[in-house]
Amino acid sequence: MPVKTEDDHIYLSVRDLTAHTSSHQMISSFPLPQRGMLGRQAQTDIQKRKDKHYGLFHGEFQVKQSFAFRGKTFIVQGRIDGVYQLPERLEIEEIKSVILSAADFKNFNIADYPQFTEQVLYYSLLLENETNGTEIRPHLIIINLVNDKTLTFKISYNRQHVESMLFNRFNEILDDLKREEQTRQNFREQLKEMSFNLPENRPQQDMFMKQWSECLQNSEHLLASAPTGTGKTAAALYPAIQYALSQGKRLFFITSKTTQQNIVRDTIQPLVDKGLKIKTLFLRASEKMCANDIYFCHEAYCPFAKEYHDRLLSSNILEELSSQFMFLPDTIYNAAVNATLCPFEVLLDLSAYADVIVGDYNYVFDPAVYLRRLFNKKDYSDWILIIDEAHNLYTRGMQYLSPGLRRSSVQDLIKLTKTKKEKIYDKLNDTLSEIDKAFSILQQEGEIHYENLQYFTTSLDIIKWNDLYNSYEAAFINYLIHKVKKKQVIIDDPIEKFFYALRRFVQIARLEDNAFITFYDAAEGGCLQIKCCDPSEYLGQKIDKFHAVIAMSATLDPIGFYKEALGFNSGRTRLLQLESPFPSRNRKIIIVPGISTRFKNRHKHYEKIAEIIKKTVSIKRGNYLAFFPSFEFLANVNLFLGNLAATKIIQKPSMNEAERDRIVGDLKKADEPCLLLAVMGGIFSEGIDYPGSSAIGVFVISPALPPVSYERELLRHYYDRKNGQGLEYAYIYPGMNKVIQSVGRLIRSAQDQGIVVLIGERFSEEKYNAILPEYWFDLQQEIAVTNQYEKEIKKFWKEITKN
């Protein structure tokens, strides 16, 4: 349990003192926000029903007391639901809600909920101290949210007994803090004996680690553009691990692709092998961890979820798994299935034991699925964050904040609720009909003012949409209670799915920021969409809560764009751009400008592009990679790639990572030359190595500019207004980032040698080639802009052969 400490002062809430036992509620049967809202409403209703003449009532009564204990000052505070002031005493009324069937509630035993009793007893002690010994009589009122039935328990209060409970709890907390400090000291001793030397001496890596170490010490952030071969994973992890373990902090390493997690494991494992007792948890999506026949989290349907908390406590699975140093998803899955426990819940419970957690961006930045057990607080200063392949976070951030509502979903639900006889569906139907009317108004707006246009921007009446959401939420809560009463289990419940979609939509709509543009798509029945054009404020607020953050990638060019787009605080952020650690003479970059790859012209040049590829491949025997902006472009050029001096391997849209790994393996051991045709931004162009002879040449055909679309144009207009760089932010920077990523597949070690052929006249234009990394220009004439590409390629290979 995290405890706030300052010098000799320890700050606690009453909840921090109570027993952390589980309730009997199902894991996922009732959404927590709605349960909390319903509980607060029930509490208000109970207090209103109380006899007004019973005594002077004080709601939400604040209490705060200090206690000197073992050389420390404990400051404990809390908020009592209700206090009644009577002539000779005070009565505490603490209201707790449960969700139980009528039969289970009749057999309710307060002993099963010791945390309820402990909480009201601690409140009694604090209140008695504040009122100089006034008599206190505590009561617990338990309300069942399913049927509004209540039970009242008079709680016996003995000051001496509660003081003993409190001081025992203080002892436990001090012992925990002592153990935590001893753990930190043990880590410090281990770190003194531990060698963090890296296999190769790379000046760029040393500079990276020095800058990052200073940021960790000063609670600063670092934006690092580190070319392939810098060893950025180790450079980020090693200083962070040393600092975190010695200072009692934890480390979260986030990636955009699961394949990058293997590199993290390979980097940490040698430290474990040397004796560093660091525990690392690798997260995996809940769907992939699900052991049930159908992915549906409900204890009435899934045997792995049924009575999860009780069976977890009776098992020793967490103790067994946490004794290891690598908490791997497959290991967790097998152990959980053998114990008939939900593997994903076990994985999340293990997060409490981990020094390092590795997972997807979603677990930190997605407002819908971030790990609330770790980050549902105002301050993340006990965490260090490493963002790998950080160039991907900009797009992800926009996606997280761009919700939409389809009219067809609303109309389907209207039809569904009309078929139901129970009254519970009437309110749902009424609200859905009101939402559909809002869509009708939008449809009419389009027909009158935007005739023959599929898209148009519109303004939201925030007050109206708030009312619609509140109305649907109230009906939805009653619907959930109805399902509990009837013991109904509905897989992929459309009423529930729409609730979450509506909630997310309204939450974003409430922001009312210029970075968010609302538009209507009249096609396919209509869709109301919010487009986030600039996620920087949201991302920046998250980032600034951490002790220190490093965002790193081989393609953070231009770095100023990413600093702004990701929302890094200028006052806390350092920028680092490193040169390539590999000899410039080992590569040759050639721009062939005599080809137009613009959409309107490219069909005229398919055959010429194919000719460049065929001639280049024939000059030097080996494996080559050709990256295209789209599968369509790839297919059209492939039509002219007959009589090729290499075996073609073609990426298909449906290929997965396993198929990719097989192909890469084939390239490494191929006897005959191969040409891989793939798309930029795909599984073959990012987060993968082609070492040695796996590839001796890369073709990049055209800047991979995003296709022109309504949403992309919204982005362009937004940045035109903001900084006059709409074309760059919406099209050029994202497109050229994919180009740089693709080129980075070639030179992965000091021994690798090869050529890069950039095909297209736009590569010769300043607004495009100005974005290319500076280290590409280390040698004079390293980049050749010429249509005489054959001459340059032959010259390069001749020089390489000489050396």
Side-chain angles (χ1 to χ4, degrees):
M1 177 193 70
V3 173
K4 181 184 177 183
T5 61
E6 289 181 6
D7 299 325
D8 290 331
H9 289 69
I10 299 173
Y11 298 86
L12 301 167
S13 71
V14 169
R15 287 183 180 274
D16 292 331
L17 300 171
T18 59
H20 292 278
T21 57
S22 63
S23 71
H24 292 196
Q25 187 181 335
M26 292 176 266
I27 295 176
S28 304
S29 60
F30 209 99
L32 288 176
Q34 283 61 52
R35 188 199 185 289
M37 189 187 99
L38 199 57
R40 290 189 294 273
Q41 183 60 49
Q43 173 184 321
T44 301
D45 291 343
I46 288 174
Q47 291 172 344
K48 284 181 179 179
R49 292 198 296 264
K50 192 80 173 181
D51 185 352
K52 293 181 181 179
H53 301 290
Y54 183 72
L56 182 61
F57 175 74
H58 304 274
E60 303 291 322
F61 193 90
Q62 298 278 352
V63 285
K64 182 177 181 180
Q65 287 288 298
S66 298
F67 300 87
F69 185 79
R70 284 177 53 184
K72 305 288 184 182
T73 299
F74 285 80
I75 299 166
V76 182
Q77 60 184 348
R79 187 171 57 193
I80 306 170
D81 288 338
V83 174
Y84 290 93
Q85 186 174 343
L86 302 173
E88 297 179 354
R89 66 178 186 273
L90 296 173
E91 291 193 2
I92 289 177
E93 187 175 80
E94 189 65 14
I95 302 169
K96 299 296 180 184
S97 59
V98 295
I99 298 175
L100 297 171
S101 67
D104 288 340
F105 192 64
K106 283 183 180 179
N107 298 317
F108 183 88
N109 185 352
I110 194 63
D112 292 334
Y113 299 80
Q115 70 273 28
F116 291 173
T117 302
E118 288 181 20
Q119 188 173 348
V120 76
L121 287 174
Y122 287 134
Y123 282 148
S124 299
L125 177 64
L126 296 177
L127 185 61
E128 184 182 7
N129 285 352
E130 284 203 0
T131 56
N132 299 317
T134 302
E135 181 187 354
I136 307 295
R137 292 187 186 178
H139 299 79
L140 271 175
I141 297 178
I142 310 298
I143 179 168
N144 187 12
L145 299 180
V146 171
N147 55 13
D148 288 335
K149 299 293 184 183
T150 61
L151 294 171
T152 300
F153 297 89
K154 293 182 178 180
I155 305 301
S156 175
Y157 169 64
N158 178 281
R159 179 185 177 86
Q160 188 174 6
H161 172 68
V162 178
E163 280 186 332
S164 177
M165 285 171 49
L166 181 67
F167 296 144
N168 285 338
R169 187 71 183 103
F170 286 169
N171 263 322
E172 292 174 359
I173 291 170
L174 288 176
D175 289 345
D176 287 343
L177 291 173
K178 185 177 180 181
R179 276 192 294 272
E180 290 173 6
E181 179 53 37
Q182 185 60 53
T183 298
R184 287 194 289 273
Q185 186 58 39
N186 292 341
F187 274 131
R188 292 187 192 109
E189 296 301 320
Q190 290 180 46
L191 292 169
K192 287 179 184 177
E193 305 297 324
M194 183 69 54
S195 170
F196 282 83
N197 293 333
L198 295 161
E200 299 178 51
N201 181 23
R202 300 178 185 175
Q204 292 84 354
Q205 192 177 51
D206 292 341
M207 185 183 298
F208 188 126
M209 296 175 74
K210 181 178 183 295
Q211 288 284 325
W212 178 220
S213 296
E214 291 177 2
C215 288
L216 289 164
Q217 293 291 337
N218 299 326
S219 188
E220 294 176 337
H221 307 317
L222 180 64
L223 213 61
S225 182
T228 300
T230 305
K232 57 182 177 293
T233 303
L237 276 171
Y238 281 10
I241 287 172
Q242 293 177 75
Y243 183 85
L245 296 184
S246 64
Q247 299 299 318
K249 298 189 183 297
R250 301 171 73 190
L251 179 60
F252 209 120
F253 191 112
I254 58 173
T255 68
S256 60
K257 293 184 174 67
T258 54
T259 51
Q260 293 156 330
Q261 297 184 15
N262 296 329
I263 302 173
V264 179
R265 180 182 175 184
D266 293 343
T267 304
I268 294 177
Q269 187 62 54
L271 300 178
V272 176
D273 294 340
K274 291 177 183 179
L276 187 63
K277 296 178 180 178
I278 183 173
K279 298 179 186 291
T280 305
L281 170 65
F282 293 84
L283 298 174
R284 182 180 286 172
S286 56
E287 303 97 301
K288 294 181 179 179
M289 289 294 285
C290 181
N292 200 18
D293 295 337
I294 297 176
Y295 175 57
F296 184 55
C297 297
H298 196 297
E299 71 169 14
Y301 189 83
C302 176
F304 301 96
K306 188 174 183 180
E307 297 176 350
Y308 170 84
H309 293 291
D310 292 337
R311 289 188 294 107
L312 178 70
L313 291 173
S314 64
S315 75
N316 63 346
I317 188 171
L318 293 181
E319 289 74 12
E320 290 177 359
L321 290 172
S322 64
S323 66
Q324 304 172 24
F325 294 107
M326 290 287 179
F327 304 163
L328 303 176
D330 288 341
T331 305
I332 296 167
Y333 179 91
N334 292 331
V337 169
N338 288 336
T340 322
L341 289 167
C342 171
F344 186 67
E345 288 289 329
V346 172
L347 180 144
L348 292 181
D349 286 333
L350 277 170
S351 65
Y353 299 83
D355 304 299
V356 180
I357 299 178
V358 184
D360 190 85
Y361 292 171
N362 299 342
Y363 296 113
V364 175
F365 288 108
D366 189 334
V369 302
Y370 75 94
L371 291 181
R372 284 169 172 77
R373 66 177 65 197
L374 301 181
F375 301 122
N376 194 22
K377 51 186 179 179
K378 295 180 179 179
D379 179 32
Y380 312 154
S381 59
D382 49 342
W383 285 93
I384 296 163
L385 180 66
I386 298 176
I387 308 172
D388 196 19
E389 300 297 341
H391 62 276
N392 290 309
L393 183 57
Y394 172 55
T395 301
R396 282 282 200 97
M398 288 192 291
Q399 291 171 349
Y400 294 149
L401 303 173
S402 298
L405 296 174
R406 299 206 71 86
R407 188 180 190 184
S408 59
S409 299
V410 177
Q411 293 177 334
D412 288 345
L413 286 176
I414 290 173
K415 293 175 184 176
L416 174 66
T417 53
K418 276 185 177 179
T419 64
K420 303 294 184 180
K421 296 180 180 179
E422 295 93 333
K423 290 184 178 180
I424 199 73
Y425 292 95
D426 292 343
K427 182 62 176 175
L428 284 168
N429 188 272
D430 290 344
T431 304
L432 289 164
S433 297
E434 288 299 314
I435 294 174
D436 190 54
K437 287 180 183 177
F439 274 99
S440 293
I441 293 171
L442 287 167
Q443 199 75 28
Q444 292 169 13
E445 181 182 354
E447 292 170 359
I448 295 172
H449 300 290
Y450 306 97
E451 187 178 1
N452 299 323
L453 292 180
Q454 180 179 343
Y455 305 98
F456 62 89
T457 57
T458 187
S459 299
L460 285 179
D461 184 338
I462 303 301
I463 295 175
K464 180 178 180 179
W465 279 96
N466 263 322
D467 291 343
L468 289 171
Y469 169 72
N470 292 334
S471 179
Y472 190 84
E473 183 183 46
F476 175 65
I477 289 172
N478 290 330
Y479 167 72
L480 290 175
I481 293 172
H482 170 76
K483 288 206 298 183
V484 174
K485 284 181 180 179
K486 299 295 183 181
K487 297 184 178 180
Q488 290 181 350
V489 177
I490 302 174
I491 299 173
D492 291 330
D493 187 343
I495 293 175
E496 191 165 343
K497 287 176 70 174
F498 181 75
F499 168 76
Y500 290 117
L502 179 62
R503 183 178 69 176
R504 190 166 188 166
F505 182 86
V506 174
Q507 284 175 340
I508 301 300
R510 287 171 182 159
L511 298 176
E512 295 189 89
D513 189 282
N514 291 334
F516 298 88
I517 300 173
T518 306
F519 69 92
Y520 190 71
D521 179 356
E524 299 180 8
C527 179
L528 182 59
Q529 181 83 31
I530 297 175
K531 170 65 177 177
C532 173
C533 295
D534 182 1
S536 60
E537 183 172 352
Y538 170 78
L539 296 176
Q541 287 175 354
K542 284 272 187 180
I543 286 169
D544 241 18
K545 291 181 180 181
F546 287 88
H547 170 78
V549 176
I550 181 170
M552 60 185 187
S553 173
T555 52
L556 286 182
D557 296 288
I559 198 167
F561 160 70
Y562 284 102
K563 175 181 168 293
E564 179 185 347
L566 300 182
F568 276 87
N569 182 341
S570 296
R572 287 185 66 188
T573 304
R574 300 188 186 189
L575 305 181
L576 178 65
Q577 288 186 285
L578 297 172
E579 297 178 355
S580 173
F582 304 135
S584 300
R585 64 179 178 272
N586 283 3
R587 65 175 179 265
K588 183 68 178 181
I589 300 171
I590 301 166
I591 296 174
V592 183
I595 301 289
S596 176
T597 58
R598 298 178 192 275
F599 186 80
K600 63 180 180 180
N601 298 327
R602 60 179 55 164
H603 66 282
K604 302 174 185 178
H605 297 266
Y606 293 146
E607 187 173 2
K608 293 179 182 178
I609 294 168
E611 181 183 354
I612 294 171
I613 294 173
K614 287 195 289 186
K615 287 184 176 180
T616 302
V617 169
S618 68
I619 293 172
K620 173 74 173 177
R621 180 183 172 88
N623 295 330
Y624 292 81
L625 315 173
F627 293 109
F628 295 82
S630 69
F631 283 103
E632 181 183 6
F633 203 152
L634 183 158
N636 285 319
V637 172
N638 181 46
L639 294 174
F640 298 93
L641 283 174
N643 300 317
L644 187 70
T647 301
K648 285 189 293 186
I649 301 173
I650 302 174
Q651 179 185 355
K652 300 292 191 299
S654 58
M655 274 186 177
N656 56 34
E657 291 175 354
E659 292 174 292
R660 178 201 64 185
D661 293 342
R662 177 184 57 78
I663 290 173
V664 173
D666 291 343
L667 287 174
K668 292 178 182 178
K669 57 188 179 184
D671 295 327
E672 295 297 321
C674 294
L675 171 67
L676 172 65
L677 305 176
V679 295
M680 284 180 268
I683 58 175
F684 287 98
S685 66
E686 292 191 23
I688 186 169
D689 289 348
Y690 299 89
S693 61
S694 298
I696 64 167
V698 169
F699 302 94
V700 177
I701 296 89
S702 179
L705 304 189
V708 176
S709 67
Y710 183 78
E711 290 189 48
R712 188 60 55 173
E713 285 295 286
L714 289 178
L715 197 61
R716 181 172 70 85
H717 290 308
Y718 169 79
Y719 281 106
D720 273 340
R721 292 191 300 270
K722 183 177 181 179
N723 56 23
Q725 293 185 286
L727 182 64
E728 289 82 357
Y729 276 51
Y731 292 99
I732 296 178
Y733 293 162
M736 290 301 291
N737 185 280
K738 292 181 180 180
V739 170
I740 299 167
Q741 279 284 340
S742 299
V743 172
R745 299 313 97 202
L746 181 63
I747 305 295
R748 310 295 289 183
S749 74
Q751 290 73 42
D752 291 347
Q753 301 167 336
I755 59 164
V756 174
V757 182
L758 305 178
I759 302 174
E761 86 284 11
R762 281 177 290 183
F763 286 125
S764 63
E765 297 175 11
E766 184 178 357
K767 64 183 176 183
Y768 289 92
N769 62 41
I771 301 166
L772 300 178
E774 290 184 10
Y775 66 86
W776 284 16
F777 301 86
D778 287 347
L779 293 178
Q780 190 176 11
Q781 304 299 321
E782 184 181 350
I783 290 187
V785 182
T786 176
N787 290 316
Q788 306 302 315
Y789 59 91
E790 291 176 88
K791 178 181 176 181
E792 291 289 343
I793 293 170
K794 290 175 181 178
K795 179 182 176 183
F796 170 75
W797 286 121
K798 185 178 180 180
E799 291 294 326
I800 287 292
T801 304
K802 284 182 182 179
N803 297 329

